[in-house]
Amino acid sequence: MSMIRDLRAVVRPARPSAGGVRVDSGPYDSTRDPATPSAVVDCAVYRHGARVASAQPLTPQEAMRQVRRDGGFVWIGLHEPTESEFSGIAGEFGLHPLAVEDAVQAHQRPKLERYDDSLFTVFKTIHYVEHDRLTANSEVVETGEVMCFTGKDFFITVRHGGQGSLRALRHRLQDDPELLAKGPSAVLHAIADHVVDGYIAVADAVQDDIDEVETEVFSPGRKGTPRGTDAGRIYQLKREVLEFKRAVSPLLRPMQLLSERPMRLIDPDIQKYFRDVADHVARVQEQVIGFDELLNSILQANLAQASVAQNEDMRKITSWAAIIAVPTMVCGVYGMNFDYMPELHWKFGYPVVMSVMVGLCVGIHRTLKRNGWL
């Protein structure tokens, strides 16, 4: 509790406005330069499934006061807040310091944790990076994070990364008052479903990349020989799939817990919808594991093709060396400059020796070609 009291003590000092009048901007953006936007992307009160209209943007403190007075819940969205910016909000809503630390520092694995009267959920967002052609340096997936604090009368999202905006999702929920009336748990399900739908789309796109690489590895090259592909491209794609796997696999257990275990903060009518999300996560996880295994096989096949190509080159080199060895041997014998050698002064000696060398070379060439060495 002392740590929470320390969080409550962190507030932003008032600063002068353009007109010289000191105004209090609230405790959620105390370290940002005045020229930079606040970490709070949106802050709104929802009552009976509808957004409560406000003449001017609400601060988290004002929104929470409305909720405590009139009911409903507050949904606050933040993007990459600093420690001081988030400390004020954490103190206002009584968030656990360990969860606050994870939310500010980011780089967390997907998880679900219960702290007193709130749930802390971490999602890894995945965005597919479009590219004309896969190279050894291509970025295939880009990751971000969405941390969610779910309480009885509040829902707070902390987003990290340039992708994964929740603005469109908020608008869709506002168009469905019946669902939004279920409270913060409905928002948590909507975000989980939104993130997992992104996984499915990325999995389909990555499948296309893998199919392209697989086709290039196993398609015949010139003269019917396999041409293979750059192992660096396969390895880069494998690394990106591993990043994808780190986002998907740890999320399965939290979604199963949300769908199977009764929780006081999760509406029973919403809980059943988490089963569908868990099924989708399981399906994507199976796909990603399959991608990893398939890329292992493709990489091994590519390396095997490179070894086979090297062996074929060595056989050709050895075959031509054997053919060249015959005239080299004969010419070496007759180049020893002895006075008394067979057929040395014979008129037909030269054409006979040349004919023998050509005949032997042709015979060796045909034998090697018939055996597949040339």
Side-chain angles (χ1 to χ4, degrees), residues 336-349:
M336 290 189 292
N337 297 323
F338 289 109
D339 288 336
Y340 302 99
M341 293 181 67
E343 294 85 25
L344 188 63
H345 300 287
W346 184 36
K347 180 173 62 175
F348 299 105

Side-chain angles (χ1 to χ4, degrees), residues 111-124:
K111 60 183 179 179
L112 171 67
E113 294 178 342
R114 178 182 295 176
Y115 291 105
D116 300 327
D117 295 329
S118 66
L119 292 176
F120 178 60
T121 316
V122 178
F123 298 96
K124 282 276 190 180

Side-chain angles (χ1 to χ4, degrees), residues 117-177:
D117 295 329
S118 66
L119 292 176
F120 178 60
T121 316
V122 178
F123 298 96
K124 282 276 190 180
T125 58
I126 298 291
H127 171 71
Y128 180 77
V129 180
E130 297 290 343
H131 47 266
D132 295 331
R133 179 174 175 78
L134 183 67
T135 67
N137 298 317
S138 294
E139 185 180 17
V140 179
V141 296
E142 182 180 4
T143 61
E145 293 180 55
V146 176
M147 286 84 161
C148 303
F149 293 88
T150 307
K152 179 181 179 181
D153 51 9
F154 66 86
F155 189 84
I156 302 172
T157 58
V158 181
R159 185 167 58 88
H160 291 267
Q163 305 296 332
S165 174
L166 302 175
R167 187 180 302 275
L169 175 64
R170 185 187 285 259
H171 291 164
R172 287 200 302 271
L173 281 174
Q174 290 174 173
D175 292 336
D176 190 354

